[in-house]
Amino acid sequence: MVRSPNDYRTDVWVDWCPGCGNYGILAALYKAFAELQLDPTNTVIVSGIGCSGKTPHFVKANGVHTLHGRAIAFATGIKVANPNLTVIVHGGDGDLLGIGLGHFIALGRKNVDIKVMLHDNRVYGLTKGQASPTLSKGLKTKSLPQANIINSLNPIALALVSGYTFVARGYSMLSEHLKNLIVAAIKHKGSAFIDILQPCITYNNIHTPEYYRKRVYMLEDEGWDPNVREGEAQNTLLKAIQKSLESDERIPIGIFYRNQYNQTLEEAYGQRTPSYSKTLLPWQKICKEDGSPIVDEKLFQKLFKEYIVKVKKG
Amino acid sequence: MVRSPNDYRTDVWVDWCPGCGNYGILAALYKAFAELQLDPTNTVIVSGIGCSGKTPHFVKANGVHTLHGRAIAFATGIKVANPNLTVIVHGGDGDLLGIGLGHFIALGRKNVDIKVMLHDNRVYGLTKGQASPTLSKGLKTKSLPQANIINSLNPIALALVSGYTFVARGYSMLSEHLKNLIVAAIKHKGSAFIDILQPCITYNNIHTPEYYRKRVYMLEDEGWDPNVREGEAQNTLLKAIQKSLESDERIPIGIFYRNQYNQTLEEAYGQRTPSYSKTLLPWQKICKEDGSPIVDEKLFQKLFKEYIVKVKKG
Amino acid sequence: MGGPQGSGLESSAQILSKALAYLGYGLISDREYFSNIKGRHSYTHMRISSNNIPLALTYPVQVLCAMDAETVFTHFQDLDEKGSIVYDISTLQTKYTVIPSIEPRLRERLRVLFSELGLDGTISSLTRYLKAVKKVRLIGLDYQNIISEVSKKFEILPSQATRYLSSIAVGSIVGLTGIGSDAIKYSLESRFQGNQTLVEHNNHIIELVSKNVREDYGTLYELSPSSIGLEKMLVASGNDIIAMAKIVGGLRFQSYYPITPAADESFTLEGFERLEVEGESLGSLIVTQTEDEIAAIASAIGASLAGVRSSTSTSGPGFSLMVEALGYAGQVEAPVVITYYQRGAPSTGQPTRGAQSDLLFTLYASHGEFPRIVLSSGDHLEAFYDTILALNLAEKYQVPVIHLLDKFLANCIATSPLPDLSKVKVERGKLVFEMPEYKRFNLSHPISSRAFLGSNTIQWVAGDEHDELGHIDEDPVNRKEMYEKRMKKLEIMDSEIPLEYRVSYYGPEEAKLLMIGWGFTKGAALEAIGRMRENIKCAYLHLKMFSPFPAEYVKSLLENFDPKNIVAVEHNYLAQASKIIAQHTGVKVEKSILKYTGRPIYVDELLKALERVLGGERRVVLEYGA
Amino acid sequence: MGGPQGSGLESSAQILSKALAYLGYGLISDREYFSNIKGRHSYTHMRISSNNIPLALTYPVQVLCAMDAETVFTHFQDLDEKGSIVYDISTLQTKYTVIPSIEPRLRERLRVLFSELGLDGTISSLTRYLKAVKKVRLIGLDYQNIISEVSKKFEILPSQATRYLSSIAVGSIVGLTGIGSDAIKYSLESRFQGNQTLVEHNNHIIELVSKNVREDYGTLYELSPSSIGLEKMLVASGNDIIAMAKIVGGLRFQSYYPITPAADESFTLEGFERLEVEGESLGSLIVTQTEDEIAAIASAIGASLAGVRSSTSTSGPGFSLMVEALGYAGQVEAPVVITYYQRGAPSTGQPTRGAQSDLLFTLYASHGEFPRIVLSSGDHLEAFYDTILALNLAEKYQVPVIHLLDKFLANCIATSPLPDLSKVKVERGKLVFEMPEYKRFNLSHPISSRAFLGSNTIQWVAGDEHDELGHIDEDPVNRKEMYEKRMKKLEIMDSEIPLEYRVSYYGPEEAKLLMIGWGFTKGAALEAIGRMRENIKCAYLHLKMFSPFPAEYVKSLLENFDPKNIVAVEHNYLAQASKIIAQHTGVKVEKSILKYTGRPIYVDELLKALERVLGGERRVVLEYGA
Ligand SMILES: Cc1ncc(C[n+]2csc(CCOP(=O)(O)OP(=O)(O)O)c2C)c(N)n1
Ligand SMILES: Cc1ncc(C[n+]2csc(CCOP(=O)(O)OP(=O)(O)O)c2C)c(N)n1
Ligand code: SF4
Ligand code: SF4
Ligand SMILES: [Mg+2]
Ligand SMILES: [Mg+2]
């Protein structure tokens, strides 16, 4: 059976505000899934809390809607437990770069094969529009009583410095382009990050589709090559960081950086413990037919011999 | 009274392992305090948990020994409540870059005038030598059962990307040089970070004084200029990031980056609320002599007029 | 009044509230909404009285004002016999089956019900049924027409005029109750602070609709003049009144991480950072949004150590993250106030619904043992005084104080008299500003003198067990003494804090039936006392302070009642307060009336439940409300 | 045996333990140490028996082996009349005043005591006093001499030879007790796994010292041959035995963030990642160090959702951070085991000391209400079975399980018989691997069929209140049903989990005095039963499961006792378990014997305290131990 984008829709009513950028992300996701013909039973969307956090309910694939800021931590457990799953994280900018920042960076360090989609609307949507970590200092979106007083983070630079091996930016209103990024991220082996510019129609009257229309341009149009060649990771990284510092007046989208040479954490575990790669943990036997543990008296004594003392006779 | 380094010592027994790099940090701190003639009653050392976390007890100045990973968050409250205080954070690499990473980055964003001293020993000292976020993948220090499986972070690059306006690296065994860095950091207005290479004699048999002796060199010897000139922050930043990527074989110490042009959070609050700068919060009056609140019936009705309805007569 | 979230209903409720207050009426108004920004069903449930300030909500309602078809389908059963329903006649042909935002379970219930009643699922058939069977007055209006008129009259785009839709609700209620146009004008002026266009446009719709309604149906619910007799009234939500109290109480530092239903308090506080009255500054208030809740409480404790009255506001998920630092505050004897608005739990639960299921958690949160105060409030004015009390007790006893509230109170708008500030004092406890050999944790008394960081002292503070100076100390004798120093505060607080701050008894002394509750339950319980049938005298024991718990008083009081006539009334499953009673007094409250749907307890259902309890039922679970 | 932390004492204790086990003796050995890596005072308190496995520690001790002067000053009062002290004669002139690591309070106590006794503060005067007044045998050795000899003999640097200092302690005990050289050889081989140099060097010192001691003082404490009769013994710390149990129980994923006293368990587990026996793989175990405790529990829950038996181990501060995710597990019905080692609290507290002060916290941690299991263990073998029980119950009931232990157990090395694996089963509960319209939260039964992510199903999981599919749902009827579905599990668990897993009664049926305790208290209580004077029959009620609490059994049992003869024995201030009893049964346990210095309850002090309780005291606070 060939799955169409529509086959990944659930019956759940999508309750984002009309005009919200999240619709574009969802559409791109459906299309990417269809293009890759992902098996919904082997795909898991993990999310945090926020408007963005609702994504899994709208997708017919396994969905784990977790806690604010913790999606990556849950996802890491899922992926390490079963590396066969395609694991995708959807989170907000407050979610991933505010409360969840520690996990966001840890994922870069670990290079677990998880794809992180940042719904970057520069506000805390679901709590009614407070400033998020990607809102620049001095800006006053309509829901703020006063201008934002804290400097913003640069998600791309941060992901690069953290060790993500695939770093990209997309724009929710350019759904085809975004779909391609998602496909590339899923195909990539290792931790992947897409900063998705997502207009919040209700609370963010600065970063509107209008705003982005004027500023967004595609890296590929400039002939940008994000790919690391063997041994040249550092140069490519530095170049990508430089690109990421480009001012707000011209916003590049596309793949900034892609490094195919780094070992994933799952691979490292497999190297350390070959049986980990041979039989997936969930399907490893832990007891016999009758329910008794596979570690029986004999195996127990062998396995734990350093703790067992054979008492001297007589 | 002129204070000597010794005047900043307490009677508490310093219970670090003999030969620990922390001694060098402590010595540099005493000297820096003496050079700046810091008033102990107006100085606060805030620490997390770890071998590094014990620092405040050894210094005769206010000391707040907080929770693992949270020193920066406590320090931010202290400094914002009383910007007159000199506030210094001492933390471990697990403390600041593991569990406390979110706060570490948040401080960069906020540019609160706090000085962060990272006791970078690449292990979790006080819990007996597990790998910390600055230990490279593949290394196996003597306390690890197997080689470290997770990539390390680059503290300098991270601090730069986070927005710290003063970023430096010191080495605990070069106490005079380190002292100078501490002095410069304290003199700097804004969030300052010093990555202090600190041999852990007990658990880290790789990053020993021997190791560092061979690799460490001083930025100033290369004529490095860390200072941002007006309007050139981005270039200087990029250059500093590039420098921070220098491989482990040659380790630069000194000031990587210094930006004097950014507003601190305290300044921003003062701008928003002039009385904040006029009278320090702790000394603002909140009640009258008799204990009644300064907001009396009359002021209450004026202050909260939008919530008060005068009932129509008759 | 119901309609889609984000369509202006919240503002309509405010406009109505102020207009009614202007006329001297008492009101309470609950807002129910989904965890959603736009489109899902929300409603305001308002109760108005001309002779007192209503304390709780009740069903059925007299008027249902539906901005959309979903509201009709969701609420038609809430309507009283002979009540009135205002609805949009353009929705007459709308079937419930085509409304995507109706949740599956409600849709299923409607399907069953409509098929039983033989209705075809349209608004039209439903309203006909209501008229025929429940004698409901049908007030069908053409909303689109009204909007077009406005758009024409003011020469604005129809899409812009749509923003005024919710004023149709206000207009119809104004028409039905006879609220005067001066009151509406007053209220609009106050709501739109100088934006005359908004005042004019809204006013126009309200006048238009109210005139139509009045002409066609009469002033069906004409309000008699108020006999309440207040000259001034506070009209505020729980969030707002607590913000005001914090300012009066001398708060200078509030940290928070956004979370429903706490964030509105911080939002309100942000409006007062300058603390200016007529250009003169009373000080300054720092309101700071942190990177997470851990940072929120940590920085509040930091500010407290520096000598500033500080607090943080949060809800369940946020408090769960604050637990470690709460223990730190306990261990280092730092005053700090946590304003805790309970919501539907566990976990993310029901973020925008109410509950009282976090009581046991707050009492024991964080590892280890340390003294804390847990204080809860039952209504707006109580919350006002308690907020200041919380700030005082935190500093006086150098302990963390958890002020336990809930979403019901947070979002309810209520009228109340102005607080009596002559009753309010600021107490900062034992302070010292200069001392050469200062010992922060002097063992000579459980409550040591407190110095601010930055005064003429040096101090050390550590979450490790420490000596008198604050340095780490593992000596067993010091451990015991320092542990006891802290724990002794529990006894001191218990003996010093007056009983009237901790528990209140309402009702006749010789009552037969005793309700025990806390927090927002108060309103419904008090109303129930008044409305219970004559021969059953009821009373209500309102618990406010759970730590230190007024064990002796509660015990001796309970002994006056027949155990089968004592009933816990709570918004949780376990009857948590009664567990605490058992723990402290050995008295097990065996009966309970509980509700955990996320909606408040209504007076009418409580009355029915009380009858069932009298009839012998041990546990009644309430479930009314959409 | 005492000496500076980091000087090899831990290893000495292990060597002695294995040697003693080899000879069939029973032993229990507690390790006390500061939150410090090197230099502060640490000691091992060991009790050895030839006719049974000792369950608890007691004072006074027969032999005190001091590696340094600080040990002598810290422990001389622990010595029995006529006991023996082994010490370094080169410290004879050392005064307590020059030892910087002695904490101020102990120094002050020594000052007072020595001045009362007219001693000058040197080891020399103190030992003379001990000999004269307490008839203590003085075994002075020249440690430096011994080390020099070794350094000469093996041609190693003296600084290197110093590493063997702690073997002097082993040697002296071997000498005094007559442990055979075969036992020591066996033990050294096993400890140093093939490193013959270490075996040889250590063995040499041990032989040398033991010979000297035996020659000069005789085998003062010659152990009679063991009558225990076990062929094999487990010699392990609590941390280790739990690691073994997890492996037997089928654990496949352990996440952790380092913390004392939990981390050693994960460290042990890491050694078994490959799960290989003689080259054959039994599977694999992922042990993963996370960025913080929040990630630790979140990833364990994630692994659990993917179908893997998972757990995380932590202590108070870590658990405090796990609270939010704990509620998530409760809400989404995810099995997960949290192995929780209590330590001195609150806050950072006493990181390396023991306590039982987190019980109430674990019962109510996280906002809202959800079923959980809280299970505690009293000794090594109990902990072994309970660990597997925890893994089973978590999956069977799809709830989070908190396995509550403490630092005492974690760090105590004890001998025990090998666990009886025929009693052990793995139970995974209701599983489903394939189902087209799979409903993860099917409402038809409180326990729904569980599918793994990645099996042939699709499921949604949300911390928000959800419908049967797992999608967010705010409908009040669904809310009530889903809430009740979860909470009903409490009743099911209560009715299904056998009583013997939850509570044990020890002692004669017709006892007069009842102790109630939990966790590590068990050992001291059981010994006290045996050692109480003849005419007072004692019993001990060992509580193991606090949620669901075996209320009826406990209630009816307590009714058999005179309330004045029921006493709570706990390592906390509030007598937490007795609070839970009161809450569930209405019975208030009015008497208590409590200890909260961070040191374990010793049998001798417990006996004295029981007498005081019999004499009418309501609350006895214990404080023995350095
Ligand atoms: C621990 C915790 N703190 C706070 C919240 C409240 N909360 C819900 S959504 C949200 C932020 C949403 O912002 P963002 O992550 O940017 O997502 P968006 O809604 O913009 O997609 C917050 C703070 C929560 N659910 N949990
Ligand atoms: C919440 C919490 N988790 C874990 C610990 C245990 N702990 C104590 S020190 C420490 C780490 C120390 O490592 P680092 O921060 O690098 O400091 P160092 O000792 O190396 O100076 C940890 C994990 C704790 N105290 N609190
Ligand atoms: S609030 Fe903003 S982000 Fe959330 S659904 Fe509405 S438009 Fe989208
Ligand atoms: S363990 Fe390492 S960091 Fe800690 S005191 Fe010892 S040498 Fe220093
Ligand atoms: Mg956002
Ligand atoms: Mg470290």
Side-chain angles (χ1 to χ4, degrees), chain C residues 35 103 105 109 320 345 349 353 358 367-369 463 465 474-475 479 481 484 573 583-584 588 596, chain D residues 35 103 105 109 320 345 349 353 358 367-369 463 465 474-475 479 481 484 573 583-584 588 596:
Chain C
S35 179
E103 291 192 302
R105 293 295 292 270
R109 289 197 299 277
S320 276
R353 310 288 177 178
D358 303 349
H367 54 291
E369 302 170 305
E465 192 57 278
E474 303 203 22
D475 183 75
R479 166 64 167 176
E481 289 176 8
E484 287 166 357
Y573 183 97
Q583 180 173 308
H584 286 281
K588 289 195 77 178
Y596 38 83
Chain D
S35 179
E103 290 191 304
R105 292 296 292 269
R109 288 197 298 277
S320 275
R353 310 288 178 179
D358 303 349
H367 54 291
E369 301 169 306
E465 192 55 279
E474 302 203 21
D475 183 75
R479 165 68 166 173
E481 289 175 8
E484 288 166 356
Y573 182 98
Q583 180 173 308
H584 286 282
K588 289 194 77 179
Y596 38 84

Side-chain angles (χ1 to χ4, degrees), chain B residues 92-94 119 121-125:
Chain B
D93 34 19
H119 296 224
N121 56 11
R122 314 200 186 198
V123 292
Y124 283 67

